[in-house]
mmCIF file of all heavy atoms in Angstrom:
data_model
loop_
_atom_site.group_PDB
_atom_site.id
_atom_site.type_symbol
_atom_site.label_atom_id
_atom_site.label_comp_id
_atom_site.label_asym_id
_atom_site.label_seq_id
_atom_site.Cartn_x
_atom_site.Cartn_y
_atom_site.Cartn_z
ATOM 1 N N GLY A 55 -0.508 31.104 26.420
ATOM 2 C CA GLY A 55 -1.779 31.382 27.096
ATOM 3 C C GLY A 55 -2.771 30.252 26.975
ATOM 4 O O GLY A 55 -2.999 29.708 25.885
ATOM 5 N N GLU A 56 -3.374 29.871 28.101
ATOM 6 C CA GLU A 56 -4.315 28.758 28.149
ATOM 7 C C GLU A 56 -5.557 28.987 27.279
ATOM 8 O O GLU A 56 -6.182 28.046 26.808
ATOM 9 C CB GLU A 56 -4.759 28.507 29.599
ATOM 10 C CG GLU A 56 -3.672 27.934 30.490
ATOM 11 C CD GLU A 56 -3.556 26.422 30.372
ATOM 12 O OE1 GLU A 56 -4.200 25.844 29.488
ATOM 13 O OE2 GLU A 56 -2.816 25.840 31.183
ATOM 14 N N THR A 57 -5.928 30.263 27.063
ATOM 15 C CA THR A 57 -7.179 30.537 26.348
ATOM 16 C C THR A 57 -6.974 30.828 24.862
ATOM 17 O O THR A 57 -7.918 31.182 24.170
ATOM 18 C CB THR A 57 -7.904 31.733 26.996
ATOM 19 O OG1 THR A 57 -7.040 32.879 26.973
ATOM 20 C CG2 THR A 57 -8.294 31.420 28.424
ATOM 21 N N THR A 58 -5.752 30.706 24.362
ATOM 22 C CA THR A 58 -5.508 30.959 22.943
ATOM 23 C C THR A 58 -5.933 29.767 22.097
ATOM 24 O O THR A 58 -5.996 28.624 22.576
ATOM 25 C CB THR A 58 -4.016 31.238 22.693
ATOM 26 O OG1 THR A 58 -3.264 30.087 23.103
ATOM 27 C CG2 THR A 58 -3.541 32.462 23.467
ATOM 28 N N ASP A 59 -6.208 30.019 20.820
ATOM 29 C CA ASP A 59 -6.529 28.936 19.892
ATOM 30 C C ASP A 59 -5.390 27.924 19.817
ATOM 31 O O ASP A 59 -5.621 26.719 19.720
ATOM 32 C CB ASP A 59 -6.788 29.497 18.488
ATOM 33 C CG ASP A 59 -8.198 30.055 18.335
ATOM 34 O OD1 ASP A 59 -9.013 29.865 19.263
ATOM 35 O OD2 ASP A 59 -8.480 30.666 17.288
ATOM 36 N N ILE A 60 -4.159 28.429 19.857
ATOM 37 C CA ILE A 60 -3.002 27.534 19.743
ATOM 38 C C ILE A 60 -3.029 26.479 20.830
ATOM 39 O O ILE A 60 -2.930 25.278 20.560
ATOM 40 C CB ILE A 60 -1.689 28.334 19.804
ATOM 41 C CG1 ILE A 60 -1.516 29.173 18.529
ATOM 42 C CG2 ILE A 60 -0.488 27.409 19.986
ATOM 43 C CD1 ILE A 60 -0.296 30.057 18.541
ATOM 44 N N VAL A 61 -3.168 26.901 22.076
ATOM 45 C CA VAL A 61 -3.120 25.964 23.195
ATOM 46 C C VAL A 61 -4.394 25.136 23.287
ATOM 47 O O VAL A 61 -4.354 23.926 23.554
ATOM 48 C CB VAL A 61 -2.862 26.720 24.515
ATOM 49 C CG1 VAL A 61 -3.025 25.801 25.722
ATOM 50 C CG2 VAL A 61 -1.453 27.321 24.502
ATOM 51 N N GLN A 62 -5.530 25.734 23.035
ATOM 52 C CA GLN A 62 -6.790 25.017 23.213
ATOM 53 C C GLN A 62 -7.111 24.045 22.077
ATOM 54 O O GLN A 62 -7.739 23.009 22.305
ATOM 55 C CB GLN A 62 -7.946 26.020 23.349
ATOM 56 C CG GLN A 62 -7.930 26.796 24.658
ATOM 57 C CD GLN A 62 -9.230 27.561 24.879
ATOM 58 O OE1 GLN A 62 -9.909 27.944 23.937
ATOM 59 N NE2 GLN A 62 -9.563 27.791 26.134
ATOM 60 N N LYS A 63 -6.676 24.369 20.843
ATOM 61 C CA LYS A 63 -7.148 23.573 19.711
ATOM 62 C C LYS A 63 -6.073 23.118 18.729
ATOM 63 O O LYS A 63 -6.320 22.201 17.948
ATOM 64 C CB LYS A 63 -8.197 24.372 18.921
ATOM 65 C CG LYS A 63 -9.423 24.785 19.720
ATOM 66 C CD LYS A 63 -10.485 25.410 18.834
ATOM 67 C CE LYS A 63 -10.044 26.725 18.242
ATOM 68 N NZ LYS A 63 -11.111 27.376 17.431
ATOM 69 N N GLU A 64 -4.896 23.730 18.726
ATOM 70 C CA GLU A 64 -4.028 23.564 17.565
ATOM 71 C C GLU A 64 -2.700 22.857 17.828
ATOM 72 O O GLU A 64 -1.966 22.574 16.879
ATOM 73 C CB GLU A 64 -3.736 24.942 16.947
ATOM 74 C CG GLU A 64 -4.988 25.622 16.419
ATOM 75 C CD GLU A 64 -4.752 27.052 15.964
ATOM 76 O OE1 GLU A 64 -3.624 27.572 16.154
ATOM 77 O OE2 GLU A 64 -5.688 27.658 15.427
ATOM 78 N N MET A 65 -2.351 22.559 19.055
ATOM 79 C CA MET A 65 -1.039 21.970 19.322
ATOM 80 C C MET A 65 -1.035 20.464 19.052
ATOM 81 O O MET A 65 -1.998 19.767 19.348
ATOM 82 C CB MET A 65 -0.603 22.239 20.765
ATOM 83 C CG MET A 65 -0.296 23.689 21.048
ATOM 84 S SD MET A 65 0.689 23.954 22.542
ATOM 85 C CE MET A 65 -0.327 23.209 23.802
ATOM 86 N N TYR A 66 0.066 19.976 18.489
ATOM 87 C CA TYR A 66 0.296 18.542 18.350
ATOM 88 C C TYR A 66 1.062 18.084 19.588
ATOM 89 O O TYR A 66 2.249 18.380 19.746
ATOM 90 C CB TYR A 66 1.125 18.247 17.103
ATOM 91 C CG TYR A 66 0.342 18.311 15.811
ATOM 92 C CD1 TYR A 66 0.424 19.426 14.987
ATOM 93 C CD2 TYR A 66 -0.480 17.252 15.418
ATOM 94 C CE1 TYR A 66 -0.289 19.494 13.806
ATOM 95 C CE2 TYR A 66 -1.203 17.310 14.239
ATOM 96 C CZ TYR A 66 -1.102 18.427 13.431
ATOM 97 O OH TYR A 66 -1.806 18.484 12.263
ATOM 98 N N SER A 67 0.374 17.401 20.479
ATOM 99 C CA SER A 67 0.993 16.978 21.735
ATOM 100 C C SER A 67 1.117 15.467 21.787
ATOM 101 O O SER A 67 0.381 14.735 21.111
ATOM 102 C CB SER A 67 0.172 17.485 22.928
ATOM 103 O OG SER A 67 -1.148 16.982 22.868
ATOM 104 N N PHE A 68 2.066 14.991 22.592
ATOM 105 C CA PHE A 68 2.250 13.554 22.765
ATOM 106 C C PHE A 68 2.899 13.291 24.119
ATOM 107 O O PHE A 68 3.505 14.190 24.712
ATOM 108 C CB PHE A 68 3.103 12.958 21.638
ATOM 109 C CG PHE A 68 4.501 13.492 21.568
ATOM 110 C CD1 PHE A 68 5.566 12.828 22.182
ATOM 111 C CD2 PHE A 68 4.786 14.663 20.870
ATOM 112 C CE1 PHE A 68 6.855 13.325 22.117
ATOM 113 C CE2 PHE A 68 6.079 15.170 20.799
ATOM 114 C CZ PHE A 68 7.115 14.499 21.421
ATOM 115 N N THR A 69 2.759 12.080 24.585
ATOM 116 C CA THR A 69 3.362 11.655 25.846
ATOM 117 C C THR A 69 4.410 10.598 25.550
ATOM 118 O O THR A 69 4.125 9.630 24.831
ATOM 119 C CB THR A 69 2.296 11.079 26.798
ATOM 120 O OG1 THR A 69 1.270 12.063 27.001
ATOM 121 C CG2 THR A 69 2.900 10.695 28.139
ATOM 122 N N ASP A 70 5.626 10.771 26.070
ATOM 123 C CA ASP A 70 6.693 9.809 25.779
ATOM 124 C C ASP A 70 6.616 8.614 26.723
ATOM 125 O O ASP A 70 5.712 8.517 27.567
ATOM 126 C CB ASP A 70 8.065 10.494 25.806
ATOM 127 C CG ASP A 70 8.517 10.860 27.218
ATOM 128 O OD1 ASP A 70 7.768 10.592 28.193
ATOM 129 O OD2 ASP A 70 9.622 11.438 27.357
ATOM 130 N N GLN A 71 7.583 7.701 26.586
ATOM 131 C CA GLN A 71 7.546 6.465 27.370
ATOM 132 C C GLN A 71 7.666 6.715 28.860
ATOM 133 O O GLN A 71 7.263 5.878 29.677
ATOM 134 C CB GLN A 71 8.693 5.532 26.914
ATOM 135 C CG GLN A 71 8.566 5.030 25.486
ATOM 136 C CD GLN A 71 9.203 5.948 24.471
ATOM 137 O OE1 GLN A 71 9.291 7.168 24.687
ATOM 138 N NE2 GLN A 71 9.649 5.382 23.349
ATOM 139 N N GLY A 72 8.224 7.879 29.225
ATOM 140 C CA GLY A 72 8.352 8.203 30.650
ATOM 141 C C GLY A 72 7.168 8.974 31.204
ATOM 142 O O GLY A 72 7.218 9.437 32.350
ATOM 143 N N GLY A 73 6.119 9.137 30.381
ATOM 144 C CA GLY A 73 4.925 9.838 30.835
ATOM 145 C C GLY A 73 5.045 11.349 30.791
ATOM 146 O O GLY A 73 4.202 12.056 31.354
ATOM 147 N N ARG A 74 6.079 11.867 30.117
ATOM 148 C CA ARG A 74 6.259 13.315 29.998
ATOM 149 C C ARG A 74 5.481 13.841 28.800
ATOM 150 O O ARG A 74 5.504 13.230 27.727
ATOM 151 C CB ARG A 74 7.757 13.651 29.860
ATOM 152 C CG ARG A 74 8.582 13.350 31.111
ATOM 153 C CD ARG A 74 10.066 13.489 30.825
ATOM 154 N NE ARG A 74 10.538 12.393 29.989
ATOM 155 C CZ ARG A 74 11.096 11.270 30.455
ATOM 156 N NH1 ARG A 74 11.256 11.112 31.753
ATOM 157 N NH2 ARG A 74 11.504 10.326 29.642
ATOM 158 N N GLU A 75 4.828 14.986 28.984
ATOM 159 C CA GLU A 75 4.035 15.586 27.912
ATOM 160 C C GLU A 75 4.877 16.589 27.124
ATOM 161 O O GLU A 75 5.482 17.499 27.707
ATOM 162 C CB GLU A 75 2.810 16.311 28.482
ATOM 163 C CG GLU A 75 1.646 15.412 28.827
ATOM 164 C CD GLU A 75 0.387 16.213 29.089
ATOM 165 O OE1 GLU A 75 0.283 16.764 30.196
ATOM 166 O OE2 GLU A 75 -0.468 16.311 28.191
ATOM 167 N N TYR A 76 4.889 16.396 25.808
ATOM 168 C CA TYR A 76 5.612 17.297 24.921
ATOM 169 C C TYR A 76 4.671 17.795 23.825
ATOM 170 O O TYR A 76 3.575 17.265 23.631
ATOM 171 C CB TYR A 76 6.806 16.582 24.281
ATOM 172 C CG TYR A 76 7.891 16.204 25.252
ATOM 173 C CD1 TYR A 76 8.032 14.894 25.704
ATOM 174 C CD2 TYR A 76 8.790 17.158 25.715
ATOM 175 C CE1 TYR A 76 9.030 14.541 26.601
ATOM 176 C CE2 TYR A 76 9.803 16.819 26.603
ATOM 177 C CZ TYR A 76 9.911 15.503 27.042
ATOM 178 O OH TYR A 76 10.896 15.170 27.931
ATOM 179 N N VAL A 77 5.142 18.808 23.124
ATOM 180 C CA VAL A 77 4.358 19.356 22.027
ATOM 181 C C VAL A 77 5.305 19.756 20.901
ATOM 182 O O VAL A 77 6.421 20.233 21.155
ATOM 183 C CB VAL A 77 3.516 20.574 22.497
ATOM 184 C CG1 VAL A 77 4.391 21.706 22.987
ATOM 185 C CG2 VAL A 77 2.599 21.059 21.387
ATOM 186 N N LEU A 78 4.902 19.499 19.658
ATOM 187 C CA LEU A 78 5.658 20.012 18.531
ATOM 188 C C LEU A 78 5.548 21.529 18.533
ATOM 189 O O LEU A 78 4.467 22.077 18.757
ATOM 190 C CB LEU A 78 5.112 19.454 17.210
ATOM 191 C CG LEU A 78 5.256 17.953 16.982
ATOM 192 C CD1 LEU A 78 4.663 17.573 15.617
ATOM 193 C CD2 LEU A 78 6.709 17.523 17.061
ATOM 194 N N ARG A 79 6.636 22.204 18.289
ATOM 195 C CA ARG A 79 6.713 23.660 18.391
ATOM 196 C C ARG A 79 5.632 24.336 17.530
ATOM 197 O O ARG A 79 5.652 24.236 16.306
ATOM 198 C CB ARG A 79 8.096 24.116 17.926
ATOM 199 C CG ARG A 79 8.314 25.612 17.921
ATOM 200 C CD ARG A 79 9.718 25.932 17.434
ATOM 201 N NE ARG A 79 10.007 25.285 16.158
ATOM 202 C CZ ARG A 79 11.169 24.713 15.840
ATOM 203 N NH1 ARG A 79 12.164 24.696 16.681
ATOM 204 N NH2 ARG A 79 11.333 24.141 14.665
#
Side-chain angles (χ1 to χ4, degrees):
E56 290 276 9
T57 58
T58 60
D59 279 352
I60 290 176
V61 171
Q62 290 192 332
K63 301 187 294 183
E64 297 173 354
M65 292 198 302
Y66 283 101
S67 59
F68 63 95
T69 304
D70 72 0
Q71 295 89 332
R74 293 171 288 265
E75 280 193 281
Y76 293 103
V77 62
L78 294 180
R79 178 180 52 221

